[in-house]
Amino acid sequence: MKRNIIHAITCALFTALILSSCQNSDQTNQAEINKTPRELESFFPGNINEADSIEIMSGSDGSRKMTTDPQLIQDWIEKVRHLKIVLNPLQEDTTGVLFHVTLFKQEEVLFYMVPTNINHHPIEPHSELANLMTELYKTLK
């Protein structure tokens, strides 16, 4: 009787070990597949040119700036829309960010980004995006 119990426990542990090994392997393969660069605008739900306002919040002090200037919005969108973004589902959570940028259409949130996350999808940190966010923040009054 004891021998059957020990055998059953050993089989269960061995099965659990095999299943956990397979799970880690699948996550690594999925991360490798998602490393294909995509343009930032491909993450936008619909037409990115429909944005009619932008809000940017400083991660350092929480101050917010907003614009509804159509020319400024379109100029900034043109600068960021073709940036190559690489998803990184294994990206560790970061504490604090330089800026949060939110695009709106008629006061409805359409799109959210920080240099390490686009629409709540972790991405590899993107210094050019961070620089363009800094430029936008400095441009707005």
Side-chain angles (χ1 to χ4, degrees):
M1 178 81 157
K2 283 185 179 180
R3 187 175 182 155
N4 287 342
I5 292 173
I6 291 173
H7 182 63
I9 291 172
T10 303
C11 286
L13 289 173
F14 185 68
T15 302
L17 178 64
I18 290 173
L19 292 176
S20 68
S21 296
C22 291
Q23 183 179 9
N24 289 338
S25 175
D26 290 344
Q27 287 177 352
T28 302
N29 290 339
Q30 183 180 5
E32 289 171 5
I33 292 169
N34 288 336
K35 296 268 183 185
T36 305
R38 292 173 42 193
E39 289 189 346
L40 182 137
E41 74 178 331
S42 71
F43 294 93
F44 195 85
N47 183 354
I48 196 167
N49 290 320
E50 292 178 350
D52 59 13
S53 62
I54 297 177
E55 178 185 71
I56 184 166
M57 183 179 81
S58 169
S60 62
D61 65 7
S63 62
R64 295 174 186 263
K65 295 182 179 183
M66 183 171 238
T67 185
T68 56
D69 178 339
Q71 187 62 51
L72 185 86
I73 293 167
Q74 290 310 308
D75 288 348
W76 194 76
I77 287 173
E78 283 305 313
K79 291 177 184 177
V80 299
R81 76 182 319 149
H82 298 294
L83 292 178
K84 299 297 184 193
I85 304 297
V86 177
L87 286 174
N88 189 355
L90 301 178
Q91 174 75 20
E92 305 241 348
D93 287 337
T94 56
T95 55
V97 292
L98 185 61
F99 293 107
H100 300 255
V101 174
T102 308
L103 293 130
F104 296 88
K105 179 182 178 183
Q106 299 174 352
E107 299 180 17
E108 180 183 334
V109 174
L110 293 177
F111 195 67
Y112 167 86
M113 67 181 115
V114 298
T116 57
N117 192 296
I118 300 243
N119 270 355
H120 308 288
H121 297 287
I123 64 170
E124 291 186 358
H126 202 291
S127 61
E128 188 175 356
L129 179 58
N131 292 339
L132 289 168
M133 289 176 174
T134 300
E135 179 185 301
L136 175 65
Y137 189 80
K138 289 178 179 179
T139 301
L140 298 179
K141 306 289 183 225

